[in-house]
Amino acid sequence: MSDVLPFGEGALDEPLVDVALPVPLRQSFTYRVPRALGVLAEGTRVAVPFHGRKLPGVVVGHPARAPEGVRLASVAGVLDREPAFCAELLAFLREAADYYLHPLGEVLRAAAPALPAEAVRSLRASGFLDAGEGLARPAVATKRRAFVRRTDAAVERALGARQQAILALIDERREIGLDELARHERSPRPVVRRLAALGLVEVEEREVPADPFFGEPIERDAPHEPTDAQRAAIEAIVGALDRGGGTHLLHGVTGSGKTEVYLRAIDVARARGRGALLLVPEIALTPQLVGRFRARFGDAIAVLHSGLTPAERFLAWRGLRTGAVRLAVGARSALFAPVEDLGVIVVDEEHDPSFKQEDGFRYHARDMAILRAHRAGAVCVLGSATPSLETRYRAEQGKLSYTALPNRATANPLPAVEIVDLARHGAGPSGHPLITGPLHRGLEECLGRGEQAILFLNRRGFSPSLRCGSCGEIAQCPACSIGLTEHRREARLRCHYCGYETPTSLRCTSCESATLVPLGLGTERLEDALAAAFAPARVARLDRDTAAGGRAIESVLDRLRRREVDVLVGTQMVTKGHDIPGVTLVGVVLADQSLAFPDFRASERTFQLLSQVAGRAGRGERPGRAIFQTFQPRHPAILAARAHDYDAFYRAELEERRGLGYAPFGRLVAVRADAPDERHAREAIEALAERARRELAVKTRAVEVLGPAPAPIKRLRARHRFRMLLRGRDRRALRAVARAVVQRIDEGLGTARAHVDIDPVSML
Ligand code: ADP
Ligand code: ZN
Ligand code: ZN
């Protein structure tokens, strides 16, 4: 390497930096800083030579002396004018890396936005040296739109019917896009021009980001007068903010007005000059929530979502970093948003498993939000209708403050829930095995009244599409031990884990019999059956397949809201926080699927899903109703969800967990190993188990080693998988064993790969 100089040369007058690199090594690397680059503060991204490549890294320290006997290379270039990470964020990320036993460089890479293409080009051109100019002007897609607003002028003369209609539309909103107006009224331009001439409206053209979240004009949203319960929650949160931080659990039933509490708490924080961060499970599913935040706080919000181009993401990041934007909204990775002077972090639906990152840097955004808030002197607000057992238990122990919103904010009660026993009710008139008589009648009544329905079909992991009628073999992915899912319209079978696909064959791959039986568990089949049975009702579907791209999701939800869809069928995506007044019936087609999951949280997860989805019904004027179809009508999770009785569920489940030593009474670390060859994978996990068993904490039984055993999904992407669990009550003891395992992983395992997953959510 030509740019590596022998140790000692220049070392006296050139300062040194420690750089964290995105490599799976648990150490930082020391480099010399050429004088021309000036002083490099901690948190600055730099380009450095590493084994013949140039890698982006982050300055994480300033060692006084060079490590002995090492030839030091020089920093090749600086990627940030201002450090990308402020001190608060960097300190937090260090702690997160340490907690999850993950290399800091990889954590920092997960946290920072990729550099925009333009910047990268200029970096290349200048051999990585001072890219500052390239970063100053990132491109962001914008478009010009015309907006119409009402003026203060009173209507003093009789208006024509068209003029009245259009004025009424404008009156409904603070402002409305001319293009949107054209969707409701044919060629509105001349009418708008006339209204403008009369001084009743004004038209403004401006550049708006092409980002779909900013496409719609801001809707009118007058703050509600808080209910007593909301007021108590707001006071508790603001109290904590003024005392220098804390964690608050806001336990409010669906529709109880949690969002209003978030808005007010954030409003107070802003008035105190503090920034705020809102984390939601899935940003694409929450355009409504973003709309409410824009309505309250205007467009100075960084909405971080996966649809952003690198340039847009970079721009959002920079807006926050410079303090120009003080509010960020996004899914789990928004946890790393560089909000300055953080005052409030809200984690909405804190129980949602999607806050857990399941590969690479495996972190839990809710747990880390608590840590970040603590470090920043901010309040972390955890909101949920069905708090996780861990969170509720900590509130009970007095480790975090708690308020309950026990009633809906609007007059309507929670929906009445009816359980349909699938062992006693088969297919109804439609012939589809999962549309029983009671569900069929429920839909008929709902549609007959001109109301809307949502049907939820859980489809995770273990729900294959086809089974051989003669040998019972399930159509499986050749690379994964997972059933294939049938996509009827394309006549293809697909693996939802690795993407493998094949034409739907007519014969069993195992016995060649031509008697493949569809298991009827797919949303597509259900959609078709509903459309046929309830014509002319308009049926739409929302799942991973229909939702390729954020716009598709938004458009389905939009059609539902505008009543252009009567029945929405879908997977977990339909259970999230949608607030659609016309929906009065919710059907859970098969409540058992999530119960069958090999996971100690299966019961809790089922209770949460059922409560969430039932909560979509009856949010408007008309009362709601929910139907749960199940083979286990006496299951405690199902009964508690029917009764909307979180407390009963919590008490019973807590005792189960206490008996078994699972969270919140014990902690887990999952250790997984995989390899193309089954024997190598097995040997790797054995080696890790062996190392764990040598630890004192295991010998004294402070930590148990469960397994190793084949993982519930034995094979994935053509690799065989094994797993063991470390379980213990004492955090330190567990950590010591996990560290020993990590050390063994770092020593190398041949063709096998392995990782530790601290506080795992997925048991797969
Ligand atoms: P959650 O987030 O708890 O599901 P939302 O914040 O979406 O509940 O509120 C549910 C509905 O109640 C919304 O339509 C909201 O506008 C309304 N709402 C919230 N707070 C109040 C209040 N204090 N008075 C009247 N309506 C309210
Ligand atoms: Zn067969
Ligand atoms: Zn597969």
Side-chain angles (χ1 to χ4, degrees), residues 542-673:
L542 183 61
D543 56 27
R544 289 284 155 224
D545 308 319
T546 58
R551 279 311 265 177
I553 299 174
E554 216 191 313
S555 119
V556 172
L557 292 175
D558 233 40
R559 276 158 55 215
L560 188 68
R561 204 167 300 127
R562 291 203 300 262
R563 291 180 168 263
E564 291 164 20
V565 164
D566 302 305
V567 183
L568 180 68
V569 184
T571 53
Q572 274 86 312
M573 299 177 115
V574 305
T575 68
K576 312 265 168 156
H578 321 301
D579 188 14
I580 294 167
V583 173
T584 57
L585 176 69
V586 160
V588 177
V589 173
L590 183 57
D592 308 71
Q593 274 157 315
S594 52
L595 285 175
F597 237 59
D599 186 333
F600 75 89
R601 292 192 182 88
S603 212
E604 179 181 17
R605 186 77 192 114
T606 304
F607 175 73
Q608 289 162 347
L609 277 170
L610 296 180
S611 305
Q612 279 293 327
V613 68
R616 301 310 111 214
R619 295 171 72 96
E621 319 254 282
R622 309 262 185 102
R625 178 180 174 203
I627 296 175
F628 297 166
Q629 301 190 134
T630 174
F631 285 105
Q632 302 169 73
R634 314 297 312 160
H635 193 285
I638 293 175
L639 290 176
R642 174 176 67 177
H644 306 294
D645 195 345
Y646 174 88
D647 244 49
F649 177 77
Y650 169 73
R651 296 273 156 238
E653 183 68 14
L654 198 66
E655 288 322 304
E656 289 271 311
R657 301 268 183 98
R658 198 194 300 273
L660 296 169
Y662 282 121
F665 301 101
R667 299 168 166 272
L668 284 182
V669 174
V671 182
R672 303 186 188 93

Side-chain angles (χ1 to χ4, degrees), residues 287-311:
Q288 243 181 333
L289 189 68
V290 173
R292 284 170 74 182
F293 273 74
R294 288 178 66 216
R296 207 60 72 82
F297 303 123
D299 272 345
I301 300 178
V303 181
L304 306 165
H305 57 92
S306 57
L308 294 180
T309 63

Side-chain angles (χ1 to χ4, degrees), residues 419-427 433 436 590 592 629-633:
I419 294 178
V420 172
D421 183 354
L422 284 171
R424 296 176 40 202
H425 293 272
T436 60
L590 183 57
D592 308 71
Q629 301 190 134
T630 174
F631 285 105
Q632 302 169 73

Side-chain angles (χ1 to χ4, degrees), residues 213-507:
F213 278 104
F214 293 90
E216 295 304 312
I218 294 174
E219 304 214 5
R220 197 186 285 277
D221 176 87
H224 295 287
E225 194 49 42
T227 60
D228 288 345
Q230 282 171 325
R231 200 180 300 280
I234 296 159
E235 276 168 17
I237 294 165
V238 171
L241 177 66
D242 289 340
R243 282 192 307 275
T247 306
H248 187 85
L249 170 57
L250 180 62
H251 182 180
V253 299
T254 54
S256 59
K258 294 186 287 296
T259 311
E260 185 63 34
V261 174
Y262 305 154
L263 286 164
R264 289 194 177 246
I266 289 174
D267 207 23
V268 171
R270 287 161 71 89
R272 307 257 201 287
R274 311 282 295 269
L277 183 52
L278 169 68
L279 302 181
V280 296
E282 199 150 357
I283 187 77
L285 290 173
T286 39
Q288 243 181 333
L289 189 68
V290 173
R292 284 170 74 182
F293 273 74
R294 288 178 66 216
R296 207 60 72 82
F297 303 123
D299 272 345
I301 300 178
V303 181
L304 306 165
H305 57 92
S306 57
L308 294 180
T309 63
E312 287 166 340
R313 186 177 308 279
F314 178 78
L315 198 69
W317 172 276
R318 211 186 43 168
L320 292 166
R321 184 69 184 85
T322 58
V325 176
R326 311 299 307 269
L327 174 57
V329 180
R332 62 173 176 262
S333 64
L335 169 68
F336 309 123
V339 176
E340 296 287 299
D341 208 353
L342 200 52
V344 176
I345 307 180
V346 174
V347 184
D348 188 29
E349 312 292 2
E350 68 85 30
H351 64 275
D352 199 292
S354 64
F355 284 120
K356 178 74 193 318
Q357 167 79 30
E358 292 292 3
D359 53 27
F361 171 36
R362 294 174 170 78
Y363 64 94
H364 201 305
R366 179 244 290 145
D367 298 348
M368 289 300 102
I370 296 172
L371 178 69
R372 185 170 176 194
H374 182 67
R375 287 275 158 268
V379 189
C380 182
V381 180
L382 307 177
S384 176
T386 50
S388 63
L389 253 74
E390 288 92 325
T391 300
R392 181 67 189 91
Y393 186 66
R394 293 183 63 213
E396 208 169 62
Q397 302 274 296
K399 291 184 181 151
L400 37 99
S401 56
Y402 174 88
T403 41
L405 307 178
N407 302 306
R408 282 196 163 172
T410 50
N412 263 317
L414 290 163
V417 182
E418 191 181 315
I419 294 178
V420 172
D421 183 354
L422 284 171
R424 296 176 40 202
H425 293 272
S430 72
H432 190 288
L434 292 178
I435 310 175
T436 60
L439 180 59
H440 193 101
R441 280 192 298 283
L443 279 164
E444 260 172 3
E445 285 162 23
C446 166
L447 295 170
R449 287 190 302 265
E451 296 165 4
Q452 296 166 290
I454 289 179
L455 293 193
F456 164 49
L457 179 56
N458 199 344
R459 190 190 57 185
R460 270 174 76 201
F462 297 109
S463 52
S465 285
L466 295 174
R467 182 170 52 206
C468 172
S470 129
C471 76
E473 185 83 0
I474 276 170
Q476 264 200 359
C477 173
C480 312
S481 50
I482 290 289
L484 293 169
T485 302
E486 185 191 15
H487 292 249
R488 289 181 84 193
R489 293 201 185 99
E490 301 149 78
R492 293 184 89 73
L493 293 171
R494 241 177 234 141
C495 171
H496 284 185
Y497 281 77
C498 73
Y500 167 86
E501 56 174 89
T502 173
T504 305
S505 108
L506 301 172
R507 292 192 176 275

